[in-house]
């Protein structure tokens, strides 16, 4: 039926006089006083008593009759006229409740104004034809109503006043905005371009150990050499269900997830290289950020941010105070060029990416001052992004928690990371025979001892360099590895270059270098002045006569700096070891030579001495080892005992009785009962697997969970059979952690030995990459899949074609296509959760699926209405951050909906009342009822047991609703429930509890 027929039959000459009867007379002016300001004040209904309800029904009857008075096809079946007229009269009667001004109504337009009237008094019981006819007549009537408003003498005057007010508001807002905008004049813009270009060049290269056998070859492009690692976001207390915020994440994407991050990592794990990568990614122009296609996309948060790299070891080398924003460029050649106040403007406008490197590289006594400095900066400039790095044990777990820093830890390199590093290293060293690369890849894959060493970029680089230098023969332990690396750098480097220089043996060089290293360790530093270094060398030269061949102290220092590759000068007047690990190794050597063993063990609680002590045990004589180990045991602290136990791996010779005593002391510390102890045990390395108890040893579920974590966090392949013993543990939390740990190990082996043995089978499995999906074992009942950003669309689509997956969680799924066609026709899918997919625009692939539980949380503009209308089995629906026009009438009428969670709800609740099976309803924090009709819809939910809403709406809830089944009323935190309102809620709903909602859904 052509619904436009109604419009043809309602001529203006007929409608206008009828519409005019709805309104009273008017007075002159702009309508600024209170009574004539609203439509309801001049409607001829209610308290004015000019137009009665009977008159209104007669008017509606006449409108319907006029619409039907013409030859041709009848738009309504016989007998429906009365129903349409009744609906029209009820709707027009709501003009008396409208709180808009006539100007606001005209701005809405006839269609939206008609929708507002219908929402205020929804009318049920019309046939489909009658409903269409009623809506068209109402819309046309609204067109004439709005036209009538524009003819009133007050309308033009009121419009001018409103325009003047809007113009004033706009000017005020523009003034405020201009004060907030960065000063983008020529000086700021030109300097930013120059600064970012400098930063990209300054941090765009890094040193790959061993690639310095020809002049100038030690610096390589960051793009070619960088290997993306992962960070572990594991929460301190493991959860029993898959957590969107847990698990591994690419390290260079971490600032896309959190605005403030404390990144922990062992020495050599890649913390500083990551800071370089983040700085360069933020500094480059978008089109030039990634010239090589195999690299990950740039940091999502880096675009349009100005990076500041702040190495604390340099900023505090002489005890200077930490810099104010104006001093962030101190030491940079561009520091004098910045326009006055530029850094402050960047920080104030939230455009800064502040990268603070090395909390652990300043003395422990200075760290509280550094923390206060950070907190003050964040208080003054809260809207920027911050990354702070530290060794794992340098600061306590909650060191920056009160300024909202998320804590993550750099995970050990996976076998895939190691393979990628070795391949890139050999690509850079293009003179290395191909068979060397293949031989090393095979050795790392098949020799557990070697794989155990290759856990971070530094050690991988050393292994590659030594493998090349020794033509395929590698040392077998950490001490041997560092000794061989020092020998390569000190003794063979210049000889292989063919340089004619005075020959000096390796040992005299080590004797002088270890003096520098031990001075730095004793003073809690990683950097010293050039004068200090020359002074220490000068004091040592009389005891090392062989070094005299190089000259006086300045010449010897210059030789170490320019020829050995062990020292570098970050500025013209400072020097540091090329890596902290070499400093610790040589410092331990100096402590042994001086007999300063008690000095070592006195610092057992200091994280800066931990590696020094371990390397002293590795290099010491049996008597030295025994003394160190006994002193550590005598300290009786958890840290000292675990350090002694970790040293067993480095102690080639030790009395059996002492070894067993240390082992027994370590056993008393297991099983772990919290994440900090589990982390400390994991840092011991695979040796801890020998003392961790297996399942069935009388452990609680909590102890079993942290035992699994301690074993898994070692990253050793030896942990796989240990973890497999927990596969049938009765605790769901234990089995969930076994799933999360999958990312840390060889994918296929872990799947075959652990994942396939989980009993009962997991409800959810976290899949972060294509290799995991391809290695997924077959289950009798496929688990739900939590799909991460490393899974590609094609791999997921191919997998789903062969697997009847029932639950799918697309978490951080990265796909640029933006549709769900790969799910079309997937008839087994009952539960779907989509979060953090910013490019998703099309839900049509979900139409007609047998979905029962759906969550959409992504901040996209989506047509949700067509999808929800096609789900007749829907029990649970959560919409968060979905910007769309949607109403409760868009739900499938057959859906047995039990739970609704709506962070962005429609303007009214029209249609909600027909969801009679609903027991849980969560309305968004910003929801405020626009009319009493909204409360009426709510009252129709006879089986509603839990309601979540803002505390500001509790008064209306008490006054306007009747909910006999209500058992829980939750309000959002910080909304402030007054004592009087709380008492009214308790009296109105005596069987319901009033509670504050936690940060997440109750």
């Amino acid at each position: 039926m052509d619904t436009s027929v109604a419009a043809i039959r309602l001529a203006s000459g007929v409608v206008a006089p009828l519409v005019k009867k709805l309104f009273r007379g008017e007075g002159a002016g702009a309508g600024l006083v209170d009574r004539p300001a609203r439509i309801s004040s001049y409607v001829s209904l209610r308290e004015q008593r000019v137009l009665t309800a009977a008159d209104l029904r007669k008017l509606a009857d006449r409108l319907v009759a006029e619409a039907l008075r013409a030859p041709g096809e009848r738009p309504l079946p016989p007998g429906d006229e009365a129903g349409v007229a009744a609906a029209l009269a009820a709707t027009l009667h709501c003009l008396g409740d409208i709180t808009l001004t006539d100007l606001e109504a005209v701005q809405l337009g006839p269609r939206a104004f008609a929708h507002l009237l219908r929402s205020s008094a929804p009318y049920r019981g019309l046939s489909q034809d009658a409903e269409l006819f009623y809506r068209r007549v109402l819309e046309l009537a609204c067109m004439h109503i709005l036209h009538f408003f524009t003819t009133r003498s007050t309308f033009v005057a009121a419009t001018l006043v409103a325009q003047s007010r809007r113009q004033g508001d706009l000017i005020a807002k523009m003034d405020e905005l201009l004060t907030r905008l960065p000063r983008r004049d020529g000086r700021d813009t030109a300097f930013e371009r120059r600064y970012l270009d400098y930063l990209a060049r300054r941090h765009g290269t890094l040193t790959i150990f061993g690639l310095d056998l020809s002049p100038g070859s030690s610096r390589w492009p960051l793009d070619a050499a960088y290997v993306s690692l992962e960070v572990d976001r594991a929460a301190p207390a493991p959860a029993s269900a898959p957590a969107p915020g847990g698990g591994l994440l690419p390290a260079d994407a971490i600032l896309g997830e959190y605005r403030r991050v404390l990144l922990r990592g062992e020495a050599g794990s890649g913390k500083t290289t990551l800071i370089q990568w983040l700085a360069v990614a933020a500094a480059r122009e978008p089109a030039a950020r990634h010239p090589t296609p195999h690299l990950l996309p740039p940091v999502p948060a880096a675009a349009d941010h100005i990076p500041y790299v702040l190495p604390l070891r340099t900023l505090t080398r002489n005890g200077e105070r930490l810099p104010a924003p104006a001093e962030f460029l101190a030491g940079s050649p561009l520091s004098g060029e910045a326009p006055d106040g530029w850094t402050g403007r960047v920080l104030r406008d939230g455009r800064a990416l502040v990268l603070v490197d090395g909390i652990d590289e300043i003395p422990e006594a200075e760290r509280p001052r550094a923390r206060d400095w950070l907190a003050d900066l964040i208080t003054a400039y809260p809207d920027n992004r911050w990354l702070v790095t530290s060794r794992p044990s340098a600061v306590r777990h909650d060191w920056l928690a009160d300024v909202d820093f998320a804590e993550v830890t750099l995970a050990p390199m996976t076998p895939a990371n190691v393979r990628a590093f070795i391949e890139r290293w050999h690509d850079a060293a293009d003179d290395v025979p191909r068979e060397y690369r293949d031989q090393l890849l095979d050795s790392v894959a098949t020799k557990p001892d070697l794989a155990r060493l290759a856990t971070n970029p530094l050690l991988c680089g050393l292994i590659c360099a030594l493998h090349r230098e020794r033509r395929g023969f590698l040392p077998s332990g950490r001490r041997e590895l560092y000794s061989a690396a020092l020998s390569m750098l000190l003794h063979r480097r210049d000889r292989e270059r063919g340089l004619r220089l005075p020959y000096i043996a390796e040992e005299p060089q080590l004797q002088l270098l270890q003096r520098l290293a031990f001075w730095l360790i004793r003073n809690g530093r990683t950097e010293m002045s050039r004068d200090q270094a020359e002074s220490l060398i000068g004091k040592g030269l009389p005891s090392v006569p062989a070094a005299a061949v190089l000259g006086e102290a300045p010449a010897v220092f210059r030789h170490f700096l320019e020829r050995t590759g062990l020292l570098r000068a970050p500025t013209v007047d400072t020097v540091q070891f090329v890596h902290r690990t070499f400093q610790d190794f040589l410092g331990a050597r100096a402590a042994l030579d001086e007999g300063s063993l008690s000095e070592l063990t006195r610092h057992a609680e200091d994280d800066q001495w931990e590696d020094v002590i371990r390397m002293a045990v590795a290099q010491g004589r049996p008597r030295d080892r025994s003394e160190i180990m006994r002193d550590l045991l005598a300290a009786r602290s958890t840290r000292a005992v675990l350090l002694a136990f970790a040293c067993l791996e480095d102690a080639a010779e030790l009395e059996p009785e002492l070894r067993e005593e240390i082992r027994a002391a370590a056993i008393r510390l297991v099983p772990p009962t919290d994440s900090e102890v589990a982390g400390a045990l994991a840092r011991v390395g695979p040796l801890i697997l020998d003392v961790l108890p297996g399942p069935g040893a009388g452990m609680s579920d909590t102890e079993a969970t942290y035992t699994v974590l301690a074993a898994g966090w070692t990253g050793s392949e030896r942990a796989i059979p240990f973890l497999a013993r927990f596969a049938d543990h009765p605790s769901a939390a234990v089995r969930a952690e076994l799933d999360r740990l999958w990312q840390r190990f060889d994918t296929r082996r872990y799947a075959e030995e652990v994942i396939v043995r989980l009993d009962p089978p997991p409800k959810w499995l976290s899949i972060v990459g294509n290799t995991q999906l391809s290695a997924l074992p077959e289950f009798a009942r496929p688990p739900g899949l939590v799909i991460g950003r490393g899974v590609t669309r094609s791999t997921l689509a191919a997998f789903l074609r062969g697997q009847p997956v029932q639950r799918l969680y697309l978490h951080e799924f990265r796909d640029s296509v933006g549709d769900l066609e790969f799910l079309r026709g997937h008839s087994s899918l009952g539960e779907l959760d989509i979060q953090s997919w910013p490019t998703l625009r099309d839900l049509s692939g979900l139409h007609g699926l047998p979905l029962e539980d759906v969550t959409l949380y992504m901040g996209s503009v989506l047509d949700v209405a067509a999808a929800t209308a096609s789900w007749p089995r829907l029990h649970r629906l959560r919409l968060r951050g979905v910007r769309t026009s949607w109403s409760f009438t868009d739900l499938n009428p057959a859906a047995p909906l039990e739970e609704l969670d709506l962070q962005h709800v429609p303007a009214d609740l029209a249609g909600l009342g027909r969801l009679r099976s609903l027991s849980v309803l969560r309305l968004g924090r910003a929801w405020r009822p626009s009319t009493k009709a909204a409360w009426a819809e709510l009252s129709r939910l006879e089986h509603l047991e839990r309601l979540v809403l803002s505390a500001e709406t509790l008064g209306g809830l008490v006054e306007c609703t009747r909910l006999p089944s209500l058992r829980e009323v939750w309000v959002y935190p910080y909304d402030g429930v007054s004592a009087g309102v709380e008492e009214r809620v308790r009296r109105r709903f005596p069987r319901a509890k009033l509670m504050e909602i936690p940060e997440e859904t109750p």
Side-chain angles (χ1 to χ4, degrees), residues 415 437 692:
R437 177 200 316 233
L692 285 173

Side-chain angles (χ1 to χ4, degrees), residues 623-878:
R623 184 176 60 190
D624 297 331
R625 293 192 195 109
S626 296
E627 184 175 339
I628 293 172
M629 305 283 241
R630 292 188 187 282
D631 283 352
L632 290 174
L633 281 182
R636 296 185 180 278
S637 71
T638 298
R639 184 185 181 92
V641 169
L642 288 177
L643 182 54
F645 189 68
C647 288
L648 291 180
E649 190 172 22
D650 303 304
E653 181 182 348
L654 194 68
E655 308 96 296
E657 297 81 5
L658 180 55
R659 189 181 294 271
E660 186 55 38
E661 186 179 350
I662 293 170
R663 179 184 171 85
I667 289 175
R668 288 193 289 272
L669 300 177
V670 297
T673 56
D674 59 52
S675 62
E676 290 195 18
V677 175
L681 291 170
R683 286 196 295 275
V684 170
L687 194 66
I688 199 65
L689 298 171
D690 296 334
V691 300
L692 285 173
M699 289 188 293
S700 68
D701 289 351
T702 298
E703 291 170 334
T705 299
Y706 287 115
T707 297
V708 163
L709 287 175
W713 286 346
T714 65
S716 169
E717 293 298 301
R718 282 184 55 200
I720 294 179
F722 178 86
L723 294 171
R725 295 163 58 193
F726 288 83
D728 60 350
H729 196 281
S731 168
V734 171
R735 299 194 304 278
E737 293 304 330
L738 291 174
D739 164 32
R740 293 192 184 101
L741 290 169
W742 188 5
Q743 305 169 51
R744 294 176 173 268
F745 298 94
D746 178 80
T747 304
R748 193 162 296 279
R749 182 185 172 191
Y750 193 90
E752 293 172 351
E753 297 187 28
V754 179
I755 298 297
V756 75
R757 295 177 58 186
L758 292 174
D759 184 23
K763 181 180 179 182
W764 293 95
L765 273 179
S766 300
I767 308 294
V768 298
N770 289 337
T771 54
Q772 280 187 311
L773 199 58
S774 62
L776 188 65
E778 293 186 4
F779 291 91
R781 184 184 180 192
L785 301 182
V786 182
I787 303 296
R789 67 178 65 215
V791 179
T792 62
R793 180 189 184 92
S794 58
T795 303
L796 179 58
F799 178 83
L800 292 175
R801 281 195 294 269
Q803 293 289 334
V805 174
Q806 298 174 350
R807 296 181 300 277
L808 192 62
Y809 186 163
L810 299 177
H811 171 51
E812 299 174 348
F813 186 59
R814 295 292 185 260
D815 178 66
S816 59
V817 177
D819 65 44
L820 291 161
E821 286 302 309
F822 61 89
L823 292 178
R824 188 177 293 278
H826 200 72
S827 58
S828 64
L829 192 62
E831 184 173 343
L832 179 65
D833 192 321
I834 304 177
Q835 299 197 28
S836 303
W837 186 350
T839 58
L840 181 61
R841 292 293 181 271
D842 184 4
L843 296 180
S844 60
L846 303 179
H847 290 188
L849 296 186
L851 291 169
E852 299 178 3
D853 190 326
V854 176
T855 297
L856 300 175
Y857 191 1
M858 63 201 78
S860 303
V861 178
L862 294 168
D863 179 12
V864 180
T868 57
S870 71
W871 298 332
R873 301 184 184 180
L874 194 63
H875 286 268
R876 186 179 188 187
L877 176 65
R878 292 174 295 278

Side-chain angles (χ1 to χ4, degrees), residues 117-359:
L117 290 174
R118 291 199 313 272
S119 301
S120 300
Y123 196 88
R124 309 298 179 200
L126 296 177
S127 67
Q128 183 176 3
D129 287 345
E131 173 76 17
L132 291 173
F133 183 76
Y134 150 74
R135 290 191 178 211
R136 195 67 185 93
V137 173
L138 176 63
E139 188 174 321
L140 189 62
C142 286
M143 184 185 303
H144 285 273
I145 289 171
L146 299 185
H147 174 72
F148 171 78
F149 292 160
T150 65
T151 64
R152 291 168 54 83
S153 60
T154 58
F155 182 80
V156 174
T159 300
L160 291 174
V161 171
Q163 287 176 342
S164 298
R165 287 173 177 169
R166 282 201 301 269
Q167 187 176 22
D169 290 343
L170 181 61
I171 291 171
K173 290 176 181 177
M174 288 297 295
D175 288 342
E176 182 181 356
L177 181 61
L178 288 172
T179 64
R180 295 182 179 181
L181 285 175
R183 193 182 74 183
R184 306 295 289 178
D185 58 21
R187 288 176 297 162
D188 275 16
T189 303
F191 177 74
E192 282 184 16
R193 284 199 299 265
R194 178 159 163 68
Y195 172 69
L196 293 175
D197 181 65
Y198 160 76
L199 211 63
R201 295 174 184 274
R202 167 72 177 81
H203 295 289
T205 60
L206 54 78
T207 298
I208 304 179
F209 288 98
L211 292 187
D212 50 0
L213 301 179
S214 60
S217 66
S218 62
R219 306 295 295 177
W220 292 85
L222 189 63
D223 282 343
Y226 179 74
V227 174
S228 178
L229 303 178
E230 284 98 16
V231 296
D232 195 335
R233 301 179 291 175
S240 59
L248 300 184
L249 176 74
D252 41 13
I254 192 64
L255 285 174
E257 296 293 315
Y258 308 105
R259 298 190 67 86
R260 302 171 190 169
V261 177
L262 173 60
L263 174 73
R264 300 178 188 265
E266 302 287 355
S269 60
K271 300 186 296 295
T272 299
T273 302
L274 174 62
I275 277 186
Q276 285 185 243
W277 179 260
L278 294 173
V280 170
R284 287 177 176 168
E285 291 297 323
R289 280 181 178 160
H290 291 272
T292 48
H294 58 275
L295 296 176
L296 288 170
V299 184
D304 301 324
H305 278 68
I306 306 298
Y308 297 94
V309 180
L310 305 177
L312 291 188
R313 60 179 174 271
T314 300
L315 296 174
T316 63
R317 60 174 172 260
N318 295 318
E320 298 100 330
R321 66 177 180 83
L322 289 159
E327 300 161 330
F328 276 10
L329 301 189
S332 164
L334 302 184
S335 59
E337 297 184 24
D340 289 343
W342 170 71
T343 303
R345 287 191 292 277
V346 172
L347 286 162
R348 182 194 64 198
D349 299 317
R351 297 193 301 126
L353 175 64
V354 186
L355 304 166
V356 181
D357 191 22
I359 286 290

